[in-house]
Amino acid sequence: MKRRIVLLSAASALLLTACGSKFKRYNDPQVTRVIVFKGERKMHLMHKGKALRSYDIDLGFAPYQHKREEGDGRTPEGNYIIDRRNPNSSFHLSIGIDYPNARDIAKARAAGVSPGGDIFIHGQPNKFAPKGPDWTAGCIAVTNKEMEQIYFMVNNGTPITIYP
């Protein structure tokens, strides 16, 4: 009887721990590309041309043009790669986009400015609430619950295309 109670208690503790974790498991089709439509404020996780999931997004506070320089508040446009992840992000969870690429760096140098960097797909801030839409400094933001899905669906090396 005692053994049964101990086993049930351990199973309950494991179940409660798993329910509260921001780290989820994903066993469905692999995400082969991420597509972002800035004008529609939509992001789609694709598997060979079919949308697996779609999300409403917030962007940089100046969302209507391609990012040109550090601090401009713009979200980049073009073809990039998901290249890193941060489980301890100030924005719940985050996955990095390899902005700036060689083209972005060349354009910024020609203009005599820094292209900036640290562009991520991330959740909500841990320390304050965003004030309205398009509140990031150039990143792509979703809800924390959505970011938990995205974090484990999208692998490093996945291409991302960001359209105007």
Side-chain angles (χ1 to χ4, degrees):
M1 182 71 172
K2 283 186 179 184
R3 183 176 182 192
R4 186 179 214 184
I5 291 171
V6 169
L7 285 173
L8 285 173
S9 295
S12 296
L14 265 174
L15 189 60
L16 287 173
T17 302
C19 290
S21 174
K22 63 184 178 181
F23 300 107
K24 307 294 180 196
R25 202 172 266 175
Y26 179 72
N27 296 317
D28 290 336
Q30 178 184 7
V31 174
T32 56
R33 175 171 295 282
V34 177
I35 299 175
V36 174
F37 294 99
K38 289 171 46 174
E40 297 173 13
R41 303 299 189 278
K42 287 285 188 185
M43 179 173 64
H44 307 283
L45 306 186
M46 309 296 291
H47 174 73
K48 298 181 180 178
K50 179 183 175 195
L52 296 171
R53 303 251 172 96
S54 297
Y55 302 94
D56 293 328
I57 58 171
D58 286 322
L59 300 168
F61 57 81
Y64 296 107
Q65 296 177 347
H66 174 62
K67 183 164 193 61
R68 293 189 187 132
E69 65 183 281
E70 185 172 7
D72 65 7
R74 296 176 180 160
T75 302
E77 297 169 358
N79 295 306
Y80 300 95
I81 300 290
I82 301 299
D83 67 346
R84 62 198 181 281
R85 53 197 58 244
N86 184 356
N88 300 311
S89 171
S90 297
F91 296 91
H92 190 59
L93 291 169
S94 63
I95 57 175
I97 298 170
D98 73 338
Y99 174 89
N101 60 25
R103 186 191 78 211
D104 299 317
I105 293 167
K107 284 184 177 182
R109 279 189 184 150
V113 297
S114 167
D118 286 337
I119 302 297
F120 288 85
I121 300 170
H122 61 67
Q124 300 298 303
N126 296 333
K127 295 188 180 187
F128 68 92
K131 295 177 173 85
D134 298 332
W135 55 272
T136 79
C139 295
I140 299 164
V142 295
T143 69
N144 289 347
K145 186 173 183 176
E146 291 168 338
M147 192 61 221
E148 289 172 9
Q149 296 169 355
I150 295 163
Y151 191 85
F152 289 96
M153 290 178 72
V154 179
N155 294 317
N156 287 359
T158 302
I160 178 170
T161 302
I162 305 170
Y163 293 102

